[in-house]
Structure formats: C-alpha cells, structure tokens
Amino acid sequence: MKILVTGGAGYIASHTNLELLQAGYEVVVADNLSNSSMESIHRVEKLTGKKITFYEADILDKERLSNIFVQEGIHSVIHFAGLKAVGESCAIPLKYFRNNLSGTITLLEVMQEYNVKNLVFSSSATVYGDPEKVPVTEDMPLSATNPYGRTKLMIEEMLRDLYRSDASWNIAILRYFNPIGAHESGEIGEDPNGIPNNLVPYVAKVAIGELEKVNVFGDDYDTPDGTGIRDYIHVVDLARGHIKAIEKLTQNPGLVVYNLGTGVGYSVLDIIHNYEKACNKTIPYAVTPRRPGDIAVSYADATKAYQELGWKAEKGIDKMCEDSFRWQSKYPKGYKN
Ligand SMILES: NC(=O)c1ccc[n+]([C@@H]2O[C@H](COP(=O)([O-])OP(=O)(O)OC[C@H]3O[C@@H](n4cnc5c(N)ncnc54)[C@H](O)[C@@H]3O)[C@@H](O)[C@H]2O)c1
C-alpha cells in the first residue's frame, strides 16, 4: 500500500517513514525542503534497507502534486507539510496562512480529483488554546492563541466541512502534544534551522556547549515549581500512532480525532533535570519573563487513542532525553555534517 507523506523529509515525518517502511508500506514523499534536508530520507533508507520515492515538490504547486497522483497510485496521505514556528507566525502571519491553508486546500483538491480520500492530518494540542481543565480530552472547546495555531484550527474546520459534504472521506486528525527525542540509532532527529524555538532542542544545544544557557520563560505559573508543564512524547511513539491511524482509515471510520500524548506532564525544570541525567552534565539556565501566549499547563488524556487505535506511548522521559542527546552529540550540526 502506497502512502504519500507530505513534508516527508521533516522531523516527525522521517520517524514515521521509518515505521511505515518497517511495517511494509511503500512511501512516497513530497517536500519542498524549506525546513529539512534530503539527508533524512537517505538515512531512513539506510536504516531500513528500503527505498523512498522522493519528489521535491511544493504542496502549493497543483500541477506537480497532480503529477504525483498520476504516477504513483496513492492509497492514503499523511499530511505533515507546514510551517510550525509560533513566534514567526505572529511576525509573518500571511506566509503561514498561504503555506499551511492554501497548501492544504491544494492538496485536498488534488486528492478529491484523483479520488484518494484517506487522510491523516498533523494537528496539534495548540487547538485547545488555554485549556480550562487538564488532562485535555478531544471534545473540549477549541481556540487558537496565535496564527500558527489558527492554521491548525482552520484546517480542522475545513476537514470537518469537507467530511460533512462527502462522507466517503476517511480523515484522522491527530493532535500531537510535544514531540521530542530521536530514533535510538541516533541517525535521525530534529534539526532546526538556527537557534531552536522549542525547549528540548535548545537544551540539547546547551548540553553540547553550542549555546550557553537555557532561558526558562517564567517561574511564576500556578504549577508546583512555577514553570510551564507540557506533555512530552517520544517522536517514535508519535510516529507509531500514524501507523495505527492509517490502519484505522482502512476500516472506513469517517472523521476521527485523537490526542497523541503520554498523559503525563513535565515542567521545564523537570526536563532540564532529566536531560542533565541523560548527558551527565549540569545544564545552566536563567529565569526570564513569561513569553506572551504561553499557557501554564497542558497534557493529554490519550484514552481515546488507546481504546480506538490500540495505541499508547511506551517511552518515558529518560528515553526521550537519552535519545535526543545521542542524536545531538553524534551529529552536532544535524544533517549539515
Ligand atoms: N514538532 C512539533 O512540536 C509539532 C507539534 C504539533 C504539530 N506539529 C505539526 O506536525 C507537522 C510536522 O512537524 P515537524 O516538527 O516534523 O516539522 P518539520 O518542519 O520538520 O517538517 C515539516 C516539513 O514540511 C515541509 N514543508 C513545509 N511547507 C511545505 C510546502 N509548502 N510544500 C512541501 N513541503 C513543505 C518542510 O520542508 C518540512 O520538511 C507540521 O504540520 C507541524 O505543524 C508539530
């Protein structure tokens, strides 16, 4: 069965490609390489001993996308392609709306044209806005606190409208919590451009001495140690959730929504201290003011994914930090080595 993976050279996609190939799927990737490198594709091919069909393609380019559907006989699409930096989305929202919204509309039009109506979509816990209670369940009210989050919310709404108009679609919306870590081989991992926006890639750069100290944005939240609490999930567990979602689509479920998280929240300081254990070094940090838009606490109730997909996260925080550090110390410059 052939799966088209948009944004397939990126961080979560590279781990998903590996799981797909190992599970016997054929993988076709469309990526414009705006935030990734061909090297991740080569590494996955090497790790699995299997080929990936790669198209350097922008999902905004309808003709190019159509060509892939004509060539490949796609069964289902996993749609990762998108821009994801919250701060950047506040500075240049139109770029985010163009890329994420127009890109998704173009993809959906082409899928409809070629009658490929099985889709797994990368959504995010950000669609819960500032949740009124934790753990967060799928039926809670949705909102957005920044343009990036708004693109995820708008795409979810588009997908619900599309499904209402045509029930022959099968759509799995996966709301990821905070993916971290890397494949345990240390051969693939997260490779952000420039200074990382997210906590763990930043901590990793401090651990290898590339950055001086971690900025902890606020220690006056209403949490046990005052720092923000999130649900960190190992990227390999997350990748495996996509295999379960693809399996689910073959049962014609209609439109389904799942949280993919561990159900456990860790504070910023918990992460720093766990990382210190993994790298056997002290990680210097400094407390700075809160970042606008950051929320105090978010973690998942992932019961629905367990009951309906038979999926749950297996890897704990130690493993997440160890695998992140292995990748970072093996390839300090990521794929640019
Ligand atoms: N990493 C997270 O914390 C997180 C959390 C929740 C949701 N998500 C979502 O999961 C998806 C994957 O995230 P990631 O962390 O792997 O990011 P990533 O940047 O590593 O991967 C995204 C990929 O999409 C590609 N891309 C972007 N725009 C494109 C376009 N117009 N045409 C073709 N390719 C394009 C990029 O080159 C990149 O390879 C994104 O949609 C992201 O919003 C990520």
Side-chain angles (χ1 to χ4, degrees), residues 6-14 30-37 57-60 79-84 99-100 103 121-126 148 152 174-179 190-191 198 238:
T6 74
Y11 169 49
I12 304 170
S14 52
D31 197 306
N32 65 2
L33 302 178
S34 59
N35 194 39
S36 53
S37 149
D58 195 305
I59 57 163
L60 288 156
H79 178 31
F80 290 106
L83 298 172
K84 61 163 187 177
N99 192 74
N100 294 4
F121 173 61
S122 300
S123 189
S124 164
T126 190
Y148 163 71
K152 292 296 177 196
L174 304 182
R175 295 184 182 144
Y176 312 156
F177 280 67
N178 294 67
E190 188 167 10
D191 182 23
N198 292 340
L238 185 64

Side-chain angles (χ1 to χ4, degrees), residues 12-255:
I12 304 170
S14 52
H15 293 81
T16 305
N17 293 341
L18 191 145
E19 297 296 326
L20 284 168
L21 290 169
Q22 283 178 342
Y25 293 94
E26 289 178 79
V27 174
V28 177
V29 164
D31 197 306
N32 65 2
L33 302 178
S34 59
N35 194 39
S36 53
S37 149
M38 268 305 285
E39 186 59 22
S40 71
I41 302 283
H42 298 319
R43 300 256 177 107
V44 171
E45 288 181 330
K46 216 167 154 188
L47 285 167
T48 57
K50 295 184 176 174
K51 288 293 291 174
I52 291 174
T53 306
F54 179 79
Y55 290 85
E56 186 166 344
D58 195 305
I59 57 163
L60 288 156
D61 183 343
K62 197 167 190 174
E63 221 180 288
R64 183 112 175 100
L65 266 189
S66 302
N67 192 35
I68 298 173
F69 282 80
V70 170
Q71 296 285 319
E72 298 293 344
I74 302 295
H75 180 275
S76 303
V77 177
I78 306 182
H79 178 31
F80 290 106
L83 298 172
K84 61 163 187 177
V86 170
E88 189 184 60
S89 80
C90 297
I92 41 174
L94 294 180
K95 184 175 174 186
Y96 274 66
F97 295 142
R98 167 68 67 198
N99 192 74
N100 294 4
L101 300 181
S102 303
T104 302
I105 293 168
T106 308
L107 173 69
L108 294 172
E109 284 172 347
V110 174
M111 289 177 69
Q112 190 166 50
E113 194 177 328
Y114 291 92
N115 203 29
V116 176
K117 294 183 176 173
N118 299 316
L119 176 74
V120 178
F121 173 61
S122 300
S123 189
S124 164
T126 190
V127 299
Y128 295 113
D130 191 352
E132 62 197 23
K133 65 170 182 58
V134 283
V136 178
T137 49
E138 287 85 350
D139 54 4
M140 279 174 54
L142 305 180
S143 66
T145 56
N146 57 67
Y148 163 71
R150 208 154 352 261
T151 67
K152 292 296 177 196
L153 192 50
M154 288 162 101
I155 293 169
E156 284 204 8
E157 296 296 0
M158 285 198 273
L159 294 175
R160 281 185 273 273
D161 281 337
L162 181 61
Y163 177 66
R164 273 192 283 267
S165 76
D166 174 0
S168 68
W169 280 84
N170 288 297
I171 300 174
I173 294 176
L174 304 182
R175 295 184 182 144
Y176 312 156
F177 280 67
N178 294 67
I180 63 169
H183 189 255
E184 64 178 0
S185 63
E187 289 298 310
I188 54 172
E190 188 167 10
D191 182 23
N193 278 326
I195 295 178
N197 291 306
N198 292 340
L199 176 65
V200 172
Y202 201 104
V203 172
K205 296 274 183 201
V206 174
I208 59 162
E210 209 176 287
L211 293 170
E212 188 198 339
K213 59 177 189 303
V214 180
N215 295 308
V216 176
F217 298 110
D219 66 352
D220 55 352
Y221 287 104
D222 185 14
T223 62
D225 68 19
T227 66
I229 290 179
R230 296 289 180 276
D231 184 336
Y232 295 92
I233 172 170
H234 197 295
V235 66
V236 171
D237 277 332
L238 185 64
R240 291 178 181 157
H242 293 72
I243 314 299
K244 296 289 190 185
I246 288 283
E247 285 168 10
K248 182 80 182 175
L249 292 188
T250 63
Q251 303 161 10
N252 294 320
L255 186 143

